[in-house]
Amino acid sequence: MIALYALYPIGCVLQLIADETATGAALRIAGLSLVVAAFAAFAVLAGSSLQRQTQEPETVLDERELADRNRAAYQAHSVFAGIVLLSLIYLMLRQDLSDNRNLDLWTPATGDHWNAIFWGAVMLAMTLPAAFLAFRKFHPDEDIEQ
Amino acid sequence: MSRKELAEAVGVNPQTIGYLERGDYAPSVELALKIAAVFSAPVEALFSLEPFPPLARTLTKQGDS
């Protein structure tokens, strides 16, 4: 989970700051490796029982699982909405301060930038409910045969 | 009776029985009544708003009286 949410943005930033020098090429490779690792973590989470719990029909889940899922969905919605709002505030400030030469804030400009943001948003939206379920699940390896 | 057997009897996931045993989840009235029916016991014998006293203390009190 931490790999998913930390490696992807770090990998994207490394690729963003990479220039045309040899160091830049190394940064680009390192950044790409982190993004690939994040997608691997995403694939593991997508196949987990937690991710299934967020998508199963209600008839398959019992009352505790439904309550947990509803709570996780609410928390994920709140966090995602918060991130979207902060991003909009940032873009709005960037627009308002665009005449100020002393404060040159970064904005996505190329297709690659928007691609990175889009796939980051997709991963976040798809996995946040499962992430909150995982944070709440204290006993994942419980022996059910007891 | 195992957790799995109890879970099948009341129609929940076995993990949910574990959550109930540990006090991590408060069941609905319907689930509490189903569990009580499985054990043929009153629901207040199985669930309480206050923590149950240790069994040893309960037995000691019964022995004194």
Side-chain angles (χ1 to χ4, degrees):
Chain A
M1 204 72 73
I2 292 169
L4 181 61
Y5 295 139
L7 296 186
Y8 185 80
I10 292 172
C12 290
V13 169
L14 285 181
Q15 293 191 68
L16 182 69
I17 62 175
D19 51 21
E20 297 303 321
T21 63
T23 311
L27 279 178
R28 237 189 315 275
I29 291 170
L32 188 62
S33 304
L34 292 181
V35 169
V36 169
F39 272 101
F42 174 70
V44 170
L45 184 63
S48 70
S49 61
L50 293 174
Q51 187 65 18
R52 277 196 295 278
Q53 188 178 341
T54 64
Q55 295 168 339
E56 293 271 28
E58 287 192 4
T59 51
V60 177
L61 303 175
D62 67 27
E63 61 174 53
R64 176 193 60 82
E65 291 169 318
L66 274 175
D68 283 350
R69 179 168 82 175
N70 290 343
R71 187 182 301 108
Y74 170 75
Q75 290 168 328
H77 170 77
S78 302
V79 168
F80 194 79
I83 291 172
V84 170
L85 276 177
L86 287 174
S87 304
L88 289 175
I89 289 170
Y90 174 84
L91 289 175
M92 195 175 68
L93 282 176
R94 168 70 176 81
Q95 184 66 31
D96 287 348
L97 300 173
S98 59
D99 293 336
N100 188 342
R101 290 177 185 170
N102 296 326
L103 194 62
D104 187 22
L105 295 174
W106 178 85
T107 46
T110 67
D112 284 347
H113 294 166
W114 283 110
N115 216 16
I117 290 171
F118 171 76
W119 287 111
V122 167
M123 280 204 296
L124 201 62
M126 287 184 70
T127 58
L128 263 183
F132 278 106
L133 276 180
F135 290 142
R136 181 172 155 71
K137 210 157 182 119
F138 300 112
H139 311 284
D141 300 323
E142 179 178 79
D143 181 8
I144 61 172
E145 297 302 327
Q146 286 178 4
Chain B
M1 176 180 268
S2 70
R3 283 179 185 164
K4 193 174 181 182
E5 289 168 339
L6 177 58
E8 285 172 2
V10 297
V12 297
N13 188 312
Q15 280 191 335
T16 299
I17 303 300
Y19 275 75
L20 291 171
E21 287 174 347
R22 289 186 300 272
D24 288 343
Y25 174 66
S28 66
V29 173
E30 183 185 356
L31 179 56
L33 289 170
K34 281 181 181 175
I35 293 172
V38 167
F39 292 111
S40 302
V43 73
E44 61 269 25
L46 302 176
F47 298 99
S48 168
L49 294 175
E50 303 297 327
F52 286 111
L55 186 59
R57 192 188 303 166
T58 308
L59 292 174
T60 306
K61 278 184 183 175
Q62 285 179 350
D64 291 344
S65 60

